[in-house]
Amino acid sequence: MSTAPDSAQSTQNTPGTDTGQPAPFDARNALRDVRGDAASARVLGQVSRAVAGSRATGKAARKAAEALRSALVAMRQGDFTNASRRALDALGHDERNGNAWHVLAIAQEKCGRLSDALNAYEAALKLLPDETEIAHNLGRLAHRLGYLEIAGKLLQRYLAANPGHVEATNNLACVLRDENRYDEAIELLRALITIDAAQPVLWNTLGTVLTDRGDMDASLPFFDEALRLDADFAKALYNRGVARMSLGDADSGAQDMRSALALTSDPMEQATIRMALALTLMGRGDLEEGFALYEARLDPQLPDAPTFLCEGERWQADTPLEGRHLLVMGEQGLGDEVLFANILPDTLRALGEGGQMTIALEPRLMPLFARSFPSARIIPHRTVRHEGRIYSHPILAEDAPRPDLWVPMASLFQRFRRQPDQFPRDDGYLTPDPARIAHWREQLAALGPGPKVGLGWRSQVTGGSRARQYAAIEAWYPVLATPGVHFVNIQYGDCTEELERARAAGHPLWTPPGINLKDDLEDVAALCVALDAVMGPSTATLTLGGASGANAWFVITPGSWTPFGTDRIPAYPKARTFVLPAFNAWDQVMGDIVSAIESLPR
């Protein structure tokens, strides 16, 4: 679990991700109500008593104790930088001082140096194995950093010594929820609610378990109860807003989110709520306000907000473009880079003949974008994670002209997409290789008569609340049973077992030879265009197909923002949408897809 304090971890080509980049921030997730403040008065009091009670024998130990007392004074004053410095002084005198490691961990966490804090908590727990408060804080931080299994074990250890502790029980339920162990999370919360029903945090977390599972309607009474107990509980208001929006009541959802925003002063909560409110407004077609609020995705208070390391002036919505050299930074993952590239033709026109555009992208997209935008310079960007933060910078050749403006790609929508009718209605904006389209049409024709339909059924990232967006391949069996149709596997990643289950059930899919469905993205786009239709949830492959003008059929969940208030996905003019009537209601939408397949030319 340990990470070197000064390491920079590249997120390019990270196993288990769709994009080789950080997954896009999902503001529709619950505002995670993980409880506990490492620097609370109670915790600092416990540490102070531990420091005072320790026997400082020898000059080094006495100097360490003196430095620790100064660190605790600094922490009580909110000066966590100085507290970190004084704790390090203490460790310089006595590196096996568990209290010094604990104080350093708290100070580093409050400074946002999460990987350093994690290492310090681990060191403190090794030296003070009976200090359950350290286990609780380490478990809470491990959860925040995504180490769910470790977080669960640490919180269980704390609860064994402190049964019925509300914060720890709540936090363990959050871990179980994020591991998709919904029934266990519900039972854990119910057991404590039976004893202490006056804790709004428990009702709120129980509601988030249900929303993560897709039971939006069932979650509302729990958020209502949390708000009955505490009318100013911003997180419960926000989470109820998410549930209402997902049930199709975007107006009430937005109202709850605005109320929550007015009630919280926590910077991370404010950024999270603004992000979710932006997507809610975008989803109902309020694009001008929605895209203005969408700048919250870049707020450094969000754990996964990127920091762009770019030269030149940051473009703003009112900055003139004509004649300028603009660097457009791809962002948030491959699917988002493809979707937001819808804006590039408009931007090129605005730059005019005297302007230039440089586009920094996920490297796998570069050949396709080079063909699609021949007047632009296409370069890669590099994205790294350092100290728990994400940094992205363009890889410009030393002799390449330097842009005088730069902009994250989605920010351009503030200028060119203020209304849903401002999306173009042409076939697509990406141009796959015509020779590869012809190649795949020849390969598909060899399968025999009948429509050729591609299916991708999930993302590679399906943990937590993302799981509710995807159906298992078995849910697609009624579609795969459609007679006279050749079904083609377009699912990237290792899906061997799923394909074998489908074959054994009498629903074989043909896997195209000689193509890496995850990495050969230009060829994937060509394959999508060659097929009579491609279908599935909004994965990278479907977005490539939609942007390339393929006959793409998107299965989208309730409350999705990509339709922008319409009955289609305006970024992909030829695409068709199949909207789930409710989360997990896959059976109802599969019949509509069968009808669509039966209507394909034969």
Side-chain angles (χ1 to χ4, degrees), residues 324-326 328 344-359 366-379 401 429 431:
R324 306 294 294 272
H325 183 176
L326 179 68
V328 180
L344 296 179
D346 302 74
T347 309
L348 282 165
R349 286 190 289 271
L351 290 168
E353 293 184 3
Q356 300 178 65
M357 180 185 287
T358 297
I359 309 171
M366 290 174 62
L368 180 58
F369 274 63
R371 176 175 290 102
S372 306
F373 307 105
S375 65
R377 177 180 288 105
I378 310 298
I379 63 171
Y429 47 91
T431 309

Side-chain angles (χ1 to χ4, degrees), residues 11-23 364 459-461 492 518-519:
T11 62
Q12 298 280 5
N13 302 317
T14 304
T17 67
D18 291 350
T19 65
Q21 296 178 278
R364 289 174 292 165
S459 165
Q460 278 192 251
V461 182
Y492 47 82
K518 179 180 178 183
D519 294 328

Side-chain angles (χ1 to χ4, degrees), residues 148-231:
L148 298 181
E149 182 178 358
I150 294 170
K153 290 179 179 178
L154 288 163
L155 291 167
Q156 287 172 339
R157 173 177 173 177
Y158 181 82
L159 282 169
N162 301 273
H165 191 277
V166 172
E167 284 183 359
T169 300
N170 179 78
N171 295 348
L172 179 57
C174 290
V175 171
L176 294 170
R177 173 197 61 202
D178 294 346
E179 291 181 318
N180 297 349
R181 295 162 65 183
Y182 302 123
D183 291 343
E184 293 174 66
I186 290 169
E187 287 308 311
L188 180 66
L189 291 165
R190 278 179 175 167
L192 190 53
I193 286 173
T194 301
I195 300 170
D196 187 357
Q199 298 288 340
V201 61
L202 301 178
W203 293 98
N204 175 66
T205 298
L206 187 51
T208 69
V209 175
L210 295 171
T211 57
D212 270 26
R213 194 169 68 177
D215 297 336
M216 302 295 177
D217 199 26
S219 73
L220 292 177
F222 298 99
F223 297 131
D224 289 342
E225 179 62 13
L227 289 164
R228 187 189 68 80
L229 293 166
D230 181 358

Side-chain angles (χ1 to χ4, degrees), residues 101-179:
W101 282 109
H102 190 189
V103 170
L104 178 63
I106 295 169
Q108 296 284 51
E109 181 182 352
K110 299 300 283 189
C111 287
R113 297 176 63 87
L114 302 186
S115 60
D116 284 358
L118 193 73
N119 292 339
Y121 276 127
E122 286 184 300
L125 191 60
K126 287 178 182 177
L127 293 166
L128 301 171
D130 296 328
E131 290 291 336
T132 56
E133 192 64 47
I134 299 173
H136 185 202
N137 282 332
L138 179 55
R140 182 179 45 74
L141 182 58
H143 180 211
R144 182 175 176 184
L145 291 171
Y147 300 113
L148 298 181
E149 182 178 358
I150 294 170
K153 290 179 179 178
L154 288 163
L155 291 167
Q156 287 172 339
R157 173 177 173 177
Y158 181 82
L159 282 169
N162 301 273
H165 191 277
V166 172
E167 284 183 359
T169 300
N170 179 78
N171 295 348
L172 179 57
C174 290
V175 171
L176 294 170
R177 173 197 61 202
D178 294 346
E179 291 181 318

